[in-house]
């Protein structure tokens, strides 16, 4: 709660885009029109731990309650954060940047109309997903949805 703009984060680097409701409606229309398609809603567990500080931020945290006993820490110590955990201003933006990099590395294409829509064609079958922060909806045939879900859960 004590992060300072310009010191611990940049104001333009604290938000992640969310999907457009129109995009979701179009995908739901495609789902209804294609009897082989299914959809799955996914919450990426530990998502914010996947990002990293990219601008050289140095952020310290007080020792959280209960960690003194578990890890032998002292309550007057501070902890240096290695990743932008939940509660840091830039956590969602850092996760989004990591997601973009991983999607590109895994062959997913990003829509030019909606930067939260990713798609891939495998063996002539289209599958896609949309994201809003660490939640996603995947669309496609069952085997393709399973592949995307597995990709999203990889670190």
């Amino acid at each position: 709660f004590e992060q300072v703009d310009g010191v611990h984060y940049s104001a333009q680097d604290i938000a992640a885009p969310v999907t457009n409701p129109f995009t979701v409606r179009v995908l739901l229309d495609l789902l209804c029109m294609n009897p082989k398609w299914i959809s799955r809603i996914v919450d990426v567990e530990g998502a914010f731990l996947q990002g990293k500080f990219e601008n050289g931020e140095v952020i310290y945290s007080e020792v959280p309650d209960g960690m003194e006993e578990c890890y032998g820490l002292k309550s007057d110590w501070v902890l240096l954060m290695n990743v932008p955990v939940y509660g840091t201003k830039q956590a969602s933006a850092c996760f989004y940047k990591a997601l973009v990099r991983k999607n590109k590395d895994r062959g997913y294409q990003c829509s030019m109309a909606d930067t939260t829509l990713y798609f891939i064609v495998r063996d002539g079958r289209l599958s896609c997903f949309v994201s809003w922060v660490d939640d996603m909806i995947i669309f496609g045939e069952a085997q393709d949805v399973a592949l995307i879900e597995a990709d999203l859960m990889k670190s």
Side-chain angles (χ1 to χ4, degrees):
F1 298 111
E2 296 179 9
Q3 287 183 281
V4 177
D5 183 10
V7 175
H8 301 110
Y9 65 93
S10 173
Q12 66 265 19
D13 290 332
I14 61 171
V18 295
T19 193
N20 184 323
F22 181 75
T23 301
V24 175
R25 283 189 217 117
V26 168
L27 291 170
L28 290 172
D29 286 344
L30 291 172
L31 175 68
C32 292
M33 292 171 26
N34 190 335
K36 292 184 179 181
W37 268 31
I38 66 168
S39 66
R40 179 156 310 163
I41 297 174
V42 175
D43 176 56
V44 180
E45 294 182 20
F48 290 178
L49 300 175
Q50 304 302 317
K52 61 182 179 181
F53 294 118
E54 296 181 346
N55 300 320
E57 300 97 333
V58 176
I59 299 176
Y60 294 93
S61 170
E62 294 176 351
V63 175
D65 292 338
M67 286 190 73
E68 299 96 340
E69 298 84 28
C70 295
Y71 298 100
L73 303 174
K74 299 198 184 325
S75 61
D76 61 342
W77 287 5
V78 293
L79 305 175
L80 173 63
M81 290 190 181
N82 293 325
V83 295
V85 297
Y86 291 87
T88 55
K89 300 272 187 185
Q90 63 273 58
S92 60
C94 289
F95 169 70
Y96 177 73
K97 290 174 186 175
L99 179 68
V100 168
R101 280 191 303 276
K102 289 176 184 178
N103 286 341
K104 185 177 179 182
D105 292 346
R106 293 179 178 145
Y108 294 99
Q109 299 286 319
C110 182
S111 167
M112 292 172 57
D114 184 340
T115 59
T116 66
L117 171 61
Y118 290 90
F119 61 92
I120 193 165
V121 177
R122 291 186 178 112
D123 299 325
R125 297 183 314 271
L126 172 69
S127 53
C128 53
F129 67 94
V130 291
S131 66
W132 61 99
V133 191
D134 64 338
D135 297 306
M136 295 162 200
I137 307 176
I138 308 169
F139 297 89
E141 293 186 22
Q143 68 268 28
D144 298 319
V145 168
L147 287 171
I148 291 174
E149 187 173 7
D151 278 348
L152 292 172
M153 294 305 153
K154 290 178 192 171
S155 51

